[in-house]
């Protein structure tokens, strides 16, 4: 028997809000079934393939036991599993198993079928990283991305197994291949250093020959490093015979259709809304073709909505969720991952003809709706006096001028503060804290100009905006000025440390695998982000002095408040040496420091036990130093 939901006034435990609820990713409608990936923190972050009948029914785990579906391309991965129909018309999955990094095939309509390895490892593991693929049923093969050495390439392997076939060598990076319905055309995205894909990227297109090779590869849209206008391309799809993509050449990621005869792109729905996300990983989807119309997710002023293109206009689809991702569609039915401020993340299915929807949460919400803190939209003057947005969550019992305040600086720094139910955030409000989740300059969801506020200004604009958000809450009488903490992970960890260095707003901080030394990061990080700081800070090493000016490690003597650190020792994005050096510099200055190291964790923490420990230790640390 399930326990009753927790009512208002009861502090939530870390074990209740973290460590058990799986993350749902990349739903896919295929025939009469809905499939999705489920990452389980209670199994140390193992990801497995799940499926069930369309419209509901008992879920089935297709990759039980030790199978762990994980792509390592560009370190951040995504797109570890491709689903489709083989040449015999039967459903099949091809996935990357993290144990050997090889591709495996699984027949989905054969209960108890064992996966078959398609390629053999060169040693214990495959030499290179594979992922982001699709099923080419016409030729009975998988097409995807191989990252090996300093370049990506599109490759193929037969569903019966065999050697990898090279289809196209990218100049630098590539991803998001999509095959036309007749199998005769392939489109994909490419980008080159020093640009990140959300800064400048291109749509490429080629024909697929009878032998399966790509011929006549050409660039159809977007921009490269030398082009005068920065244009980003996201998620090409085929809407029938039409090639559709999200392009931000208008200043917002809007949908456009390629007109082959005219040799130009036709805007489908000009709106001040984002129909895309920053391409950190493979497998993201914000638009799809249901067989008759394009359905899409659109973000306006930080809120997501679901709709379709009807007669050249946007037609919103009524449903109660405003945090949406992973859209897929098939024959008038759509599915995505959905949540709201009071509803946990789950699978949303909707039948377009009748407008009927169902929502299946990944796990029941253990908190009663009236005990949840609902976000209030907060606009304030950020860096340079520019309008800047955040979400403010009042503490349990309501806002007051003695409440402690936690400022959250998101990662990326291109991510965005979203509105879906976050129980880890409710952990704080249930304990009397207010929380402000800041969409500082550089965040997505507000157009390219908002995103470009951070160009060359990382460590300046984000710090100023997080500080201004905190002061705006205090000025409204919602928090106590000497009890403000700031926390963040990765890029948010850098913002946290920089805010502690260069402002006097905060009285404590928590950094999870945060950047402490920009120059060290520029010299020692993985390929995907090797030149990321060129745009965020300046050209390296020409702008070395700017790197030193903004690095918290070189100004550790300015920090006068306690700091707690969390670091995975397997992290190749922000090496552990960054955290160790920063903590040691603070200790030398007699600043209270606490460091938690996790031998089996990388960049971001996947194990539920780790997540619980981090939340508990952070709250205990802040409470002790704030004398709460």
């Amino acid at each position: 028997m399930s326990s009753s939901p927790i009512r208002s006034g009861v502090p939530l435990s870390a074990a209740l809000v973290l460590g058990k609820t799986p993350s749902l990713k990349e739903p896919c409608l295929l025939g009469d079934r809905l499939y999705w990936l489920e990452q389980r923190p209670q199994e140390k972050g193992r990801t497995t393939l799940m499926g069930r009948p369309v419209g509901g029914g008992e879920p089935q785990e297709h990759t039980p036991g030790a199978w762990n579906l994980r792509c390592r391309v560009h370190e951040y991965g995504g797109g570890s599993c491709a689903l489709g129909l083989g040449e015999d018309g039967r459903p099949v999955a091809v996935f990357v198993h993290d144990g050997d990094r090889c591709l495996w095939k699984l027949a989905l309509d054969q209960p108890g079928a064992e996966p078959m390895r398609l390629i053999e490892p060169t040693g214990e593991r495959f030499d290179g990283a594979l992922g982001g693929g699709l099923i080419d049923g016409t030729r009975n093969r998988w097409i995807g991305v191989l990252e090996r050495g300093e370049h990506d390439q599109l490759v193929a392997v037969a569903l019966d197994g065999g050697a990898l076939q090279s289809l196209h060598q990218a100049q630098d990076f590539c991803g998001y291949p999509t095959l036309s319905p007749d199998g005769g055309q392939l489109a994909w995205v490419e980008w080159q250093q020093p640009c990140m894909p959300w800064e400048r990227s291109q749509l490429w297109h080629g024909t697929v020959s009878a032998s399966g090779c790509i011929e006549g590869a050409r660039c159809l849209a977007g921009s490269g490093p030398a082009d005068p206008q920065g244009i980003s391309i996201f998620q090409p799809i085929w809407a029938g015979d039409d090639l559709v993509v999200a392009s931000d050449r208008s200043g917002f990621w809007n949908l456009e259709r390629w007109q082959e005869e005219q040799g130009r792109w036709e805007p489908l729905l000009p709106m001040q809304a984002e129909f895309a996300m920053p391409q950190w990983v493979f497998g993201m989807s914000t638009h799809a073709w249901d067989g008759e119309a394009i359905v899409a997710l659109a973000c306006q002023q930080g809120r997501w909505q679901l709709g379709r293109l009807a007669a050249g206009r946007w037609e919103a689809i009524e449903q109660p969720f405003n945090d949406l991702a992973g859209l897929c569609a098939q024959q008038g039915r759509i599915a995505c991952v959905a949540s709201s401020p009071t509803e946990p993340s789950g699978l949303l299915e909707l039948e377009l003809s009748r407008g009927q929807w169902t929502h299946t949460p990944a796990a029941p919400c253990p908190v009663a709706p009236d005990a949840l803190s609902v976000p209030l939209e907060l606009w304030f003057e950020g860096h340079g006096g520019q309008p800047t947005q955040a979400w403010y969550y009042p503490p349990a019992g309501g806002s007051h001028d003695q409440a402690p305040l936690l400022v959250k600086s998101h990662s990326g720094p291109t991510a965005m503060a979203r509105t879906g139910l976050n129980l880890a955030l409710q952990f704080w409000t249930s304990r009397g804290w207010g929380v402000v989740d800041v969409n500082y300059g550089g965040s997505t969801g507000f157009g390219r100009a908002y995103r470009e506020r951070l160009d060359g200004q990382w460590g300046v604009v984000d710090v100023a905006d997080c500080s201004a958000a905190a002061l705006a809450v205090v000025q409204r009488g919602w928090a106590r000025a000497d009890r403000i903490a700031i926390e963040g992970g990765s890029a948010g960890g850098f913002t946290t440390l920089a805010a502690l260095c260069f402002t006097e707003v905060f009285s404590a901080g928590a950094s999870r695998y945060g950047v402490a030394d920009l120059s060290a990061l520029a010299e020692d990080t993985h390929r995907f982000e090797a030149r990321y700081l060129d745009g965020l800070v300046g050209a390296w090493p020409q702008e070395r002095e700017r790197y030193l000016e903004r690095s918290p490690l070189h100004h550790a003597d300015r920090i006068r408040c306690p700091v707690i650190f969390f670091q995975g020792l397997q992290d190749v994005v922000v090496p552990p040496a960054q955290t160790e050096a920063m903590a040691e510099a603070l200790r030398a200055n007699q600043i209270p420091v606490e460091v938690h190291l996790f031998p089996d964790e990388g960049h971001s923490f996947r194990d539920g036990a780790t997540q619980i420990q981090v939340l508990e230790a952070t709250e205990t640390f802040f409470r002790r130093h704030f004398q709460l």
Side-chain angles (χ1 to χ4, degrees):
M1 182 180 295
S2 61
S3 58
S4 300
I6 292 176
R7 314 303 301 186
S8 181
V10 179
L12 303 179
S13 69
L16 182 72
V17 303
L18 286 175
K20 298 177 182 177
T21 303
S23 296
L24 309 183
K25 302 177 180 180
E26 302 176 30
C28 177
L29 289 162
L30 184 62
D32 59 357
R33 292 184 67 81
L34 172 64
Y35 298 92
W36 69 94
L37 299 181
E38 192 168 287
Q39 184 178 327
R40 297 173 173 174
Q42 72 273 27
E43 298 181 25
K44 298 185 181 296
R46 184 181 78 90
T47 300
T48 188
L49 175 64
M50 303 293 294
R52 64 165 167 79
V54 165
E58 188 67 25
Q60 174 188 354
E61 184 175 4
H62 291 276
T63 50
W67 294 107
N68 187 12
L69 281 59
R70 186 177 180 186
C71 164
R72 299 270 185 162
V73 177
H74 308 155
E75 295 301 332
Y76 293 107
S80 61
C81 183
L83 298 109
L85 302 178
E87 63 179 353
D88 56 2
R90 300 173 68 176
V92 64
V94 174
F95 62 85
V96 181
H97 171 47
D98 198 48
D100 58 11
R101 313 284 169 86
C102 290
L103 287 172
W104 293 73
K105 181 187 77 169
L106 176 66
L108 295 173
D109 61 348
Q110 299 176 26
E114 288 294 319
M116 181 188 87
R117 189 155 54 190
L118 297 183
I119 55 173
E120 294 298 321
T122 48
E124 287 188 9
R125 291 174 173 168
F126 175 74
D127 177 25
L130 292 159
L134 57 87
I135 304 297
D136 178 3
T138 303
R139 299 168 186 85
N140 204 45
R141 63 181 181 171
W142 174 90
I143 297 174
V145 178
L146 166 65
E147 181 184 26
R148 179 182 282 161
E150 295 302 310
H151 296 279
D152 293 351
Q153 56 180 305
L154 294 176
V155 296
V157 63
L159 295 186
D160 297 326
L164 287 173
Q165 174 191 5
S166 179
L167 300 180
H168 173 78
Q169 176 77 57
Q171 182 180 334
D172 208 340
F173 298 94
C174 68
Y176 279 81
T178 179
L179 196 64
S180 62
D182 64 2
Q185 303 175 71
L186 189 75
W188 65 94
V189 176
E190 293 196 21
W191 67 99
Q192 299 85 37
Q193 291 182 347
C195 302
M196 302 301 283
W198 50 86
E199 295 172 335
R200 293 166 183 261
S201 56
Q202 302 123 358
L203 176 71
W204 281 69
H205 171 271
T207 57
V208 185
S209 69
S211 62
C213 297
I214 297 177
E215 299 178 342
R218 56 178 176 150
C219 177
L220 287 184
S223 65
D227 292 322
Q229 181 185 359
I231 300 173
S232 170
I233 298 298
F234 178 84
Q235 196 204 345
I237 65 168
W238 293 91
D241 295 328
D242 293 333
L243 183 57
V244 174
V245 75
S247 165
D248 72 349
R249 65 186 177 125
S250 68
F252 288 84
W253 270 310
N254 280 187
L255 297 176
E256 300 187 351
R257 176 171 53 201
W258 176 243
Q259 302 276 27
E260 178 67 36
E261 293 183 1
Q262 292 82 14
R264 62 178 178 84
W265 288 92
E266 172 196 9
L268 288 176
L269 198 67
M271 289 175 62
Q272 289 196 351
E274 301 274 51
F275 289 82
M277 303 173 179
Q279 187 186 297
W280 280 98
V281 297
F282 295 151
M284 295 188 295
S285 175
T286 56
H287 40 275
W289 174 251
D290 80 334
E292 295 184 358
I294 296 173
V295 292
L297 308 179
C299 185
Q300 288 184 303
Q301 301 295 296
R303 292 184 178 90
W304 288 90
Q305 57 180 299
L306 172 65
R308 59 184 159 196
L309 278 69
R313 60 184 178 84
W314 175 251
E315 184 179 282
I317 297 173
E318 292 299 321
Q319 46 80 37
F321 304 95
N322 58 12
D323 193 357
L324 306 159
L327 181 67
C328 63
Q330 176 188 260
Q331 297 175 346
R333 180 176 289 271
I334 60 178
C336 65
V337 180
S339 61
S340 76
T342 57
E343 291 287 341
S345 180
L347 293 170
L348 172 67
E349 285 186 77
L350 192 144
E351 192 175 339
L352 289 170
S353 62
R354 296 191 293 173
Q356 292 184 336
W357 59 268
T358 60
H359 183 257
T360 310
C365 181
V367 185
D370 61 0
L372 294 170
S373 178
V374 177
L376 304 175
E377 188 171 23
L378 177 68
W379 284 91
F380 57 95
E381 283 193 6
H383 180 266
Q386 297 193 81
T388 306
Q389 195 257 18
W391 299 107
Y392 169 70
Y393 294 78
S399 302
H400 57 92
D401 61 7
Q402 294 299 302
L405 177 68
L406 177 63
V407 175
K408 294 181 67 66
S409 54
H410 63 62
S411 62
T414 60
M416 64 180 292
R418 304 174 74 104
T419 56
L421 178 60
N422 180 342
L423 288 176
L425 189 150
Q426 300 291 326
F427 169 90
W428 293 96
T429 58
S430 76
R431 282 168 159 69
W433 288 69
V435 178
V436 62
D437 203 358
V438 188
N439 276 312
Y440 54 78
S443 304
T444 46
F446 301 85
R448 189 178 186 100
Y450 198 102
R451 209 163 67 238
E452 289 181 340
R453 291 184 191 179
L454 207 60
D455 287 0
Q457 295 293 307
W458 194 31
V460 177
V461 169
D462 49 325
V463 169
D465 287 353
C466 286
S467 302
L471 294 176
V473 173
V474 171
Q475 289 165 3
R476 285 164 172 78
W478 296 344
R480 181 167 157 173
D482 62 350
R483 286 182 176 171
I484 305 176
I486 183 170
E487 73 90 27
S490 190
F494 167 76
T495 300
T496 291
L497 296 174
L500 298 178
C501 274
F502 305 122
T503 78
E504 297 181 355
V505 173
F506 305 99
S507 301
S511 170
R512 288 172 280 111
Y513 38 86
V515 178
D517 186 354
L518 293 171
S519 56
L521 186 68
E523 293 179 332
D524 183 21
T525 190
H526 61 130
R527 172 175 164 253
F528 180 69
E529 293 183 87
R531 301 289 301 280
Y532 189 18
L533 299 191
D534 283 33
L536 289 174
V537 182
W540 174 263
Q542 298 91 320
E543 300 289 347
R544 180 184 297 270
E545 286 304 313
R546 188 184 299 174
Y547 280 67
L548 297 179
E549 288 171 4
R550 297 195 195 158
S551 293
L553 181 62
H554 297 286
H555 303 279
D557 59 326
R558 298 191 185 186
I559 296 182
R560 291 286 179 262
C561 64
V563 186
I564 186 169
F565 295 89
F566 303 94
Q567 178 70 49
L569 297 183
Q570 302 300 317
D571 195 339
V572 297
V573 178
V574 179
Q578 295 246 350
T579 288
E580 293 164 1
M582 189 69 199
E584 187 56 39
L586 294 178
R587 287 194 192 100
N589 294 333
Q590 306 300 309
I591 300 299
V593 171
E594 199 172 295
V595 179
H596 296 255
L597 302 176
F598 303 97
D600 298 325
E601 294 283 7
H603 196 68
S604 80
F605 300 145
R606 303 167 71 90
D607 190 336
T610 302
Q611 296 168 5
I612 291 170
Q613 183 179 339
V614 169
L615 186 56
E616 288 179 337
T618 303
E619 192 264 347
T620 299
F621 186 81
F622 288 165
R623 177 161 39 87
R624 181 170 69 248
H625 289 286
F626 282 4
Q627 298 180 351
L628 295 175

